[in-house]
Amino acid sequence: MELAVATATVAVASTTRPHRARSFVSSRLAVPRDSCSFVPSALSSASRGPQRRRLPVTSAAVELREASSQGGDSVRVTETLQPGSSVKFSVEVPPSICQQCYETTLQEYAKRFKIPGFRPGKVVPENILINYVGPKHVQDATIEAILRHTLPQALSSVEDRALEDSVRILTKFEDMANSFSLDNVFRYDVVVDVAPEVRWLSEDKYKNLKVVVEIDEIVDAEKAAEKELKRRHKALGLLRIVADRGLQVGDLVVLDIFAESITSDGSKGEKIPSAESKGFHLDTEENNNLVPGFLGSLIGIRPGETRSFPLQFPETFEQESLQGVRAQFTVVCKELFYRELPELDDSLAGKLLPGCTTLDQVQERILQRCKEVEKTAIEQATDNAILDQLGKLVEVDVPRALFQEQGQQLYGAKLLQLQAERKLDKDQLASLSSQQSVQDYLESERENINRIIKQMLAVGEIFKAENLQYSTEQLVKEVESSIEEFKRYNQDYDEGNIKQQVQDVLEAAKVLEWLKENCINVVGSRNKT
């Protein structure tokens, strides 16, 4: 849907020096041959607002501007605002400018080619030069010259707002070539993404921010310390075979698990491979990840015994494909053990935690470590809550270029983490790095990516509004550290992009710190369920 339409006439004569903007046009313009969109190859990506940079300009383009200045001819541009913070430009180039680009193209060909029968510097007749180079090549090069010459002027109204890596020529090259004539107006459409407007939904913007902090139960220091001590105590126990009873809580059991879906009419459906396992070791005291009712259905089972029972996966189950699925489980008990634990007293202190001599000392040190983890978790949860709330307080029409770049950064970070954890081999990494894999990720994570972009833009607005700063030393140190991380895993990287990402992180840290000191009102906290 078109939001607004404005028409402007941009005089070629007015541009006698290069625009200062994010690089709109590459010095060697590549034009689309068989698609309706085009992104100049020289544009580098960035996730923040527009940066100023000189456009690359050839000497031929400068000459054309000077010639145009004398003739006073102009390029007519119609601007149309588009969804996704983009602007469409319908460009009309007069025949006089097309003729100048044509003549310049011929001059360049005359310099580059040695025409048989003509000495260097000798004027080659136009028809001979065209026949030597080929009419089609001359026409294509002329069209490229027109685009290279007129794009900066056409886009000059958004030079301070245009996002890099976002210029797309919509008109197919084939259509340009078919309609091209030096006697007629040359027309093409181009669209560019611009820095989006951040609209605050509240009059006081971020000045009275209220957040609710959610904390996982696992980071409660007291409970975490208790679980850790119990885990260490269990690790010192001996496993004994159960011979005279069935399974009870506290035992460790080895199971073969089979599962089939249950259809709507109650009959058995297909097997569920992801829910099956042979030789599965189940510690009955650590059953948080089990389907509700699974352990209860096995209490009392003995080695060699088989049990079959129906269960339903919860709607919140981690594996989405199994959420809400009814299944018939068949379980075979292979082995059953109980733990013979040593008495928990000072004699175990050194084994529970090296360097300790008493049980109290063990408990104190474990609790201290858990408190440090809890503090870090609370700080992280608070930051997440603030960012989440900021994202809800702004309205942003996210540009395509910004979405693509942010999504690719997130996907790249995900692959880097998997590689660092040695979860990917070279073939898997190559497969996941394919264009299709990236696009699949972008589509599946669209909502999350847009949410992060809104948070990022809100942070940027606050950073500027409150005149916050970070030190150059911080920036240099973090950039060097990030580059070392890429080198460690033999990953390609762009130092400019890394610097930009580090700047975003440092800005966010400063904004979060400032908000906590000046604006945040934590209205409560709750454990995640």
Side-chain angles (χ1 to χ4, degrees):
M1 177 180 180
E2 296 181 352
L3 305 179
V5 179
T7 303
T9 300
V10 182
V12 175
S14 67
T15 311
T16 57
R17 61 184 175 82
H19 292 292
R20 295 179 62 81
R22 303 189 82 170
S23 182
F24 289 135
V25 188
S26 66
S27 57
R28 174 97 173 102
L29 187 65
V31 185
R33 303 291 172 170
D34 54 5
S35 68
C36 60
S37 67
F38 151 65
V39 179
S41 59
L43 304 183
S44 62
S45 60
S47 62
R48 298 173 11 168
Q51 296 176 339
R52 293 182 174 272
R53 179 182 301 169
R54 287 188 179 274
L55 284 171
V57 181
T58 63
S59 58
V62 174
E63 292 173 2
L64 284 173
R65 288 186 183 122
E66 293 173 351
S68 300
S69 177
Q70 297 173 4
D73 292 315
S74 61
V75 175
R76 185 175 178 81
V77 181
T78 302
E79 298 183 20
T80 307
L81 297 181
Q82 301 284 309
S85 296
S86 62
V87 183
K88 175 184 173 184
F89 298 84
S90 296
V91 185
E92 298 180 3
V93 184
S96 58
I97 294 179
C98 295
Q99 181 67 36
Q100 293 171 33
C101 291
Y102 170 72
E103 292 172 358
T104 302
T105 299
L106 291 181
Q107 292 171 10
E108 291 296 322
Y109 275 133
K111 294 176 182 178
R112 289 170 52 194
F113 291 100
K114 294 182 179 180
I115 311 299
F118 293 88
R119 295 190 304 273
K122 182 75 173 179
V123 177
V124 181
E126 181 177 321
N127 63 323
I128 294 178
L129 179 60
I130 291 175
N131 287 331
Y132 183 81
V133 175
K136 182 69 167 59
H137 288 295
V138 173
Q139 176 178 286
D140 289 354
T142 300
I143 292 174
E144 290 192 18
I146 294 170
L147 294 173
R148 185 167 56 246
H149 172 58
T150 59
L151 265 174
Q153 289 88 37
L155 305 180
S156 62
S157 65
V158 296
E159 64 180 8
D160 291 329
R161 298 184 294 131
L163 298 181
E164 292 186 32
D165 218 7
S166 72
V167 179
R168 305 183 298 280
I169 294 180
L170 302 179
T171 307
K172 292 182 179 180
F173 189 86
E174 180 183 1
D175 293 339
M176 296 185 204
N178 290 339
S179 62
F180 181 77
S181 170
L182 291 174
D183 298 324
N184 297 329
V185 172
F186 179 79
R187 295 179 174 85
Y188 65 91
D189 292 333
V190 59
V191 67
V192 60
D193 295 337
V194 297
E197 178 188 358
V198 178
R199 296 177 291 277
W200 292 93
L201 301 178
S202 172
E203 288 187 7
D204 59 359
K205 298 181 179 179
Y206 50 86
K207 295 295 186 179
N208 187 26
L209 200 60
K210 296 181 180 180
V211 299
V212 176
V213 180
E214 294 185 339
I215 304 294
D216 287 316
E217 182 180 344
I218 193 64
V219 300
D220 182 292
E222 298 286 348
K223 294 181 178 179
E226 183 180 337
K227 288 182 179 181
E228 177 62 14
L229 179 61
K230 189 173 184 179
R231 184 191 68 79
R232 291 171 179 259
H233 186 208
K234 285 169 60 176
L236 299 177
L238 298 175
L239 290 180
R240 304 294 188 186
I241 297 175
V242 176
D244 56 351
R245 60 171 176 81
L247 175 69
Q248 61 186 33
V249 175
D251 292 341
L252 189 145
V253 62
V254 181
L255 307 169
D256 285 347
I257 304 172
F258 307 92
E260 295 175 313
S261 61
I262 300 176
T263 62
S264 57
D265 62 4
S267 60
K268 291 184 179 180
E270 298 180 348
K271 289 186 176 182
I272 309 177
S274 59
E276 296 187 336
S277 179
K278 285 192 173 183
F280 179 74
H281 287 65
L282 172 62
D283 186 336
T284 55
E285 290 185 334
E286 299 176 7
N287 53 64
N288 293 335
N289 295 326
L290 296 178
V291 178
F294 186 86
L295 180 58
S297 300
L298 294 178
I299 294 299
I301 194 172
R302 292 172 176 265
E305 183 181 347
T306 299
R307 289 190 182 180
S308 184
F309 46 89
L311 292 175
Q312 182 168 351
F313 288 89
E315 295 293 343
T316 56
F317 197 69
E318 183 178 6
Q319 188 175 334
E320 291 185 11
S321 61
L322 293 180
Q323 291 176 356
V325 172
R326 294 177 64 228
Q328 185 71 27
F329 285 90
T330 300
V331 181
V332 180
C333 179
K334 307 296 289 185
E335 297 178 88
L336 183 59
F337 304 92
Y338 71 94
R339 285 189 177 87
E340 188 177 87
L341 298 177
E343 186 175 351
L344 190 60
D345 56 25
D346 290 346
S347 64
L348 291 182
K351 294 180 180 179
L352 290 169
L353 190 62
C356 295
T357 57
T358 67
L359 187 58
D360 287 343
Q361 199 175 28
V362 171
Q363 293 173 322
E364 183 180 347
R365 290 190 182 181
I366 291 178
L367 179 59
Q368 183 59 39
R369 291 180 184 180
C370 289
K371 284 182 176 179
E372 293 173 0
V373 172
E374 180 185 48
K375 180 182 177 182
T376 301
I378 291 174
E379 290 175 350
Q380 184 62 60
T382 302
D383 289 349
N384 290 340
I386 295 171
L387 291 172
D388 184 62
Q389 192 64 20
L390 284 178
K392 294 176 181 178
L393 291 177
V394 296
E395 188 176 272
V396 179
D397 195 10
V398 177
R400 163 181 157 170
L402 198 53
F403 171 82
Q404 289 276 344
E405 183 193 0
Q406 184 63 45
Q408 289 169 2
Q409 287 180 6
L410 291 172
Y411 189 65
K414 179 180 178 181
L415 292 186
L416 194 64
Q417 181 180 357
L418 290 173
Q419 191 175 15
E421 295 172 353
R422 302 184 183 278
K423 292 183 178 180
L424 295 177
D425 57 32
K426 290 184 179 180
D427 292 338
Q428 290 173 321
L429 182 62
S431 176
L432 290 174
S433 300
S434 69
Q435 185 175 1
Q436 185 59 51
S437 295
V438 175
Q439 289 304 314
D440 290 344
Y441 173 83
L442 294 180
E443 283 305 313
S444 65
E445 293 294 320
R446 179 172 293 276
E447 183 177 347
N448 183 48
I449 294 170
N450 283 330
R451 178 180 59 82
I452 292 173
I453 290 173
K454 290 170 68 176
Q455 294 173 359
M456 176 187 69
L457 293 173
V459 164
E461 289 290 306
I462 299 172
F463 188 84
K464 289 185 294 184
E466 302 301 334
N467 296 315
L468 303 178
Q469 295 180 339
Y470 51 80
S471 69
T472 303
E473 291 76 12
Q474 280 181 293
L475 177 61
V476 172
K477 182 179 179 181
E478 292 297 332
V479 168
E480 291 176 348
S481 176
S482 297
I483 290 176
E484 284 301 316
E485 190 74 7
F486 277 94
K487 289 181 177 179
R488 185 177 299 116
Y489 297 104
N490 297 317
Q491 290 289 305
D492 294 332
Y493 64 90
D494 182 292
E495 187 169 346
N497 285 348
I498 290 177
K499 182 178 180 180
Q500 187 65 70
Q501 292 172 37
V502 169
Q503 286 176 321
D504 290 338
V505 171
L506 293 177
E507 282 188 10
K510 284 294 180 182
V511 168
L512 289 168
E513 179 183 347
W514 184 88
L515 287 172
K516 290 174 186 176
E517 293 176 354
N518 297 277
C519 302
I520 295 301
N521 178 18
V522 180
V523 298
S525 64
R526 63 173 181 265
N527 289 341
K528 291 182 180 180
T529 56

